Amino acid sequence: MKNQLTDRQKIVIAAMAAVPAASFESVHVQKLFFLIDERLADKIGGRQFNFQPYHFGPFDKSVYEELAVLDKKGLVEIGHIMIRGRPHRSYSLSVDGQREGRENLENFNENVRDYLTKLSTWVRDLSFAQLVGSIYRAFPEMRKNSIFRE
């Protein structure tokens, strides 16, 4: 039986599937879904999350909650990695998640698919400092509660 997914869950796995076999750190998923909300809301049925300025820019804990639900459904795999000697979570799609994510991605028009692919690649290619700094330059209001200094 196919997973019953909410529209938001379909968008989450579609964005993650845009780059096959990709692994995302916490900063990647937060900034990826923030940028999707900022840049594509009108093309995906509205904003999916409620991002607020936090220590490292836009943050919504429901991003992690949604990924945990998708993990329970067998579509996302939550792993643990060490970054600069500290434990962090990583997020990737399972084989089923990748398949279902690609199917959901195909439901978007070509421009949205291309943008999701470029955006997903871009956030993963930047270092933590580069990504957070880029977000602050484009969205200075998200710097309000920051503890990060460029």
Side-chain angles (χ1 to χ4, degrees):
M1 183 174 117
K2 197 166 177 135
N3 279 299
Q4 294 297 327
L5 300 177
T6 65
D7 288 343
R8 180 164 86 172
Q9 290 168 343
K10 290 175 184 177
I11 292 165
V12 167
I13 64 172
M16 292 176 72
V19 178
S23 179
F24 297 82
E25 296 170 20
S26 296
V27 69
H28 298 142
V29 292
Q30 288 290 331
K31 302 326 175 233
L32 175 62
F33 297 117
F34 169 74
L35 289 169
I36 289 169
D37 272 1
E38 289 296 319
R39 304 289 194 216
L40 292 175
D42 60 329
K43 305 213 179 345
I44 61 169
R47 292 179 181 269
Q48 303 300 309
F49 294 97
N50 182 26
F51 288 95
Q52 301 297 315
Y54 199 58
H55 293 167
F56 301 103
F59 177 82
D60 183 344
K61 72 176 182 169
S62 66
V63 169
Y64 300 136
E65 293 166 353
E66 199 68 84
L67 290 165
V69 169
L70 290 165
D71 175 57
K72 285 186 173 72
K73 290 179 180 256
L75 300 174
V76 166
E77 295 174 346
I78 301 174
H80 301 279
I81 56 174
M82 295 296 284
I83 301 173
R84 293 178 294 287
R86 297 184 63 204
H88 291 269
R89 288 194 175 121
S90 67
Y91 304 89
S92 57
L93 294 176
S94 66
V95 172
D96 288 341
Q98 185 68 45
R99 179 190 43 73
E100 202 155 323
R102 292 301 297 182
E103 289 174 12
N104 291 323
L105 190 61
E106 291 301 316
N107 291 328
F108 293 111
N109 72 45
E110 184 178 357
N111 291 338
V112 172
R113 284 195 310 267
D114 289 347
Y115 190 77
L116 286 172
T117 300
K118 288 176 184 160
L119 193 59
S120 184
T121 301
W122 182 77
V123 300
R124 291 184 59 257
D125 284 348
L126 296 178
S127 70
F128 179 92
Q130 290 170 325
L131 182 54
V132 174
S134 294
I135 296 292
Y136 285 170
R137 284 187 292 283
F139 304 92
E141 69 279 8
M142 285 294 160
R143 183 188 296 261
K144 184 168 84 174
N145 297 321
S146 181
I147 62 172
F148 175 76
R149 300 290 173 249
E150 291 182 78

